[in-house]
Amino acid sequence: MTTTTSTGTRRIAPAQVLFFVRDYAVLILLAILLAVLAAVSPSFFTFPNFVNIVNQNVPLGIIAVAGTFVIISGNFDLSTGAIYAVGSVTAAAVATSTGNPWLGLAAAPIAGLALGLINGLAVTALKVHSFLATLATSLAFGAIAVLITGGSLITVKVLGFTDLGRARVGGVYVAVFVLIAVIAIGWFLLQKTVFGRHVFAVGGNEHAAELSGVRVSRTRISVFVLSGLAAGMAAAIGVSRIASGQPQAGLGIELDAIAAIVLGGTSINGGVGAVWRSIAGVFLIALIGNGFDIMNINAQLKDLVTGVIILVAVALAAIGKRGR
């Protein structure tokens, strides 16, 4: 709170500063990183460099947008990496067998949607905690990806298959425009629709939401379907870039997405969060990696630094919650 001194001047209480830092820590860190990298490398603040940074993180950004819904609803999805793998090999297999690149690429989000539905049903119908349910399904989905490929790569030589991942419009990758559209749709769904309000309600207090008429199970299933769909979309972009379906594709991307979401300020306890926060978290992690490359620092330290920053972010959130 703000207090007034004997001279009539206002003084900001330490608690207010703490809450401000907690709420906008990701933006403060982004500003600091941008300033440091600009000072270290004159080539950092260039249009091609920014386009490349954004393009490299399109799949992660798409998954993080949908993952925001999952975490705000009080759940976790540890299967997005495995869904990404299934989407990748499915797209490659369909494109190769049919000779139609766009049919193949469309198969990835369709497969992701179906697998997301399985996750939602596992959590709601079987009454299994989302952490355990999606941990189990991630193993099953990973096995499916291996079975589809037989453990090997599926190389795609169909004309037009790489357009989604490699084509540019006005110097900007098509994939970047896809990410912008996903962010806009995600923001609108979360902030401007009844569904978004239900997601916040379920994550904030499931029992109260149910008493208020919110269909809790339907909302939970919906967020997992969104998450699966997003993982499939990310897979379509990823496989289009390399023109090869790999059963190990997307390995670890689920943890990167959760890290970005939490780092952005979305509460792991549910009920609090925003799409812009998750995207800010994605690019904070991206800039950390880019900074290590620019300054030629041991890449192994990147995960250490990212982990420490996430730990501090979670600690700030916990302190802020107790303070209120």
Side-chain angles (χ1 to χ4, degrees):
M1 60 181 290
T2 303
T3 58
T4 304
T5 65
S6 58
T7 59
T9 59
R10 290 189 174 184
R11 184 176 59 191
I12 299 175
Q16 281 186 308
V17 177
L18 178 62
F19 293 148
F20 178 84
V21 172
R22 183 202 65 175
D23 291 341
Y24 298 101
V26 65
L27 296 182
I28 295 170
L29 288 172
L30 270 175
I32 293 172
L33 263 178
L34 286 170
V36 170
L37 292 176
V40 171
S41 174
S43 63
F44 175 75
F45 264 119
T46 59
F47 180 73
N49 187 51
F50 274 112
V51 168
N52 285 331
I53 291 173
V54 175
N55 183 57
Q56 289 167 6
N57 291 277
V58 165
L60 178 59
I62 291 173
I63 292 174
V65 168
T68 305
F69 287 78
V70 176
I71 292 183
I72 288 176
S73 71
N75 294 280
F76 285 92
D77 190 351
L78 298 177
S79 69
T80 49
I83 293 176
Y84 185 106
V86 173
S88 174
V89 297
T90 300
V94 171
T96 301
S97 62
T98 64
N100 189 322
W102 296 107
L103 183 61
L105 293 173
I110 292 172
L113 187 150
L115 297 181
L117 178 60
I118 291 173
N119 280 336
L121 292 174
V123 171
T124 56
L126 300 180
K127 305 296 182 184
V128 180
H129 191 282
S130 60
F131 186 94
L132 296 176
T134 57
L135 178 61
T137 57
S138 70
L139 299 175
F141 298 160
I144 291 173
V146 174
L147 289 173
I148 291 174
T149 64
S152 58
L153 306 180
I154 301 178
T155 302
V156 184
K157 298 181 180 179
V158 179
L159 185 65
F161 188 78
T162 60
D163 288 351
L164 179 63
R166 300 181 187 176
R168 299 192 190 204
V169 176
V172 179
Y173 290 95
V174 171
V176 173
F177 292 111
V178 174
L179 174 61
I180 293 171
V182 169
I183 293 171
I185 293 170
W187 173 83
F188 180 79
L189 282 176
L190 191 60
Q191 302 295 335
K192 300 296 182 180
T193 67
V194 173
F195 169 66
R197 291 195 290 273
H198 287 178
V199 171
F200 279 108
V202 170
N205 189 320
E206 178 185 333
H207 182 63
E210 194 166 16
L211 291 177
S212 299
V214 176
R215 296 183 177 180
V216 175
S217 293
R218 178 178 292 184
T219 302
R220 279 183 169 171
I221 291 173
S222 297
V223 298
F224 280 107
V225 168
L226 272 178
S227 183
L229 177 64
M233 290 177 62
I237 291 171
V239 72
S240 177
R241 286 178 179 171
I242 61 176
S244 175
Q246 305 176 10
Q248 297 302 318
L251 185 64
I253 198 170
E254 70 282 359
L255 298 180
D256 288 339
I258 292 173
I261 294 166
V262 173
L263 187 55
T266 294
S267 173
I268 57 175
N269 298 312
V272 177
V275 167
W276 73 262
R277 290 186 174 279
S278 299
I279 293 301
V282 167
F283 289 111
L284 179 57
I285 292 175
L287 288 179
I288 292 173
N290 191 255
F292 272 70
D293 291 338
I294 289 175
M295 293 184 283
N296 293 318
I297 300 176
N298 187 346
Q300 299 301 321
L301 294 175
K302 171 182 169 290
D303 291 338
L304 174 61
V305 173
T306 304
V308 170
I309 292 174
I310 292 171
L311 186 61
V312 171
V314 172
L316 283 172
I319 292 172
K321 185 176 181 181
R322 290 197 298 269
R324 292 192 189 278

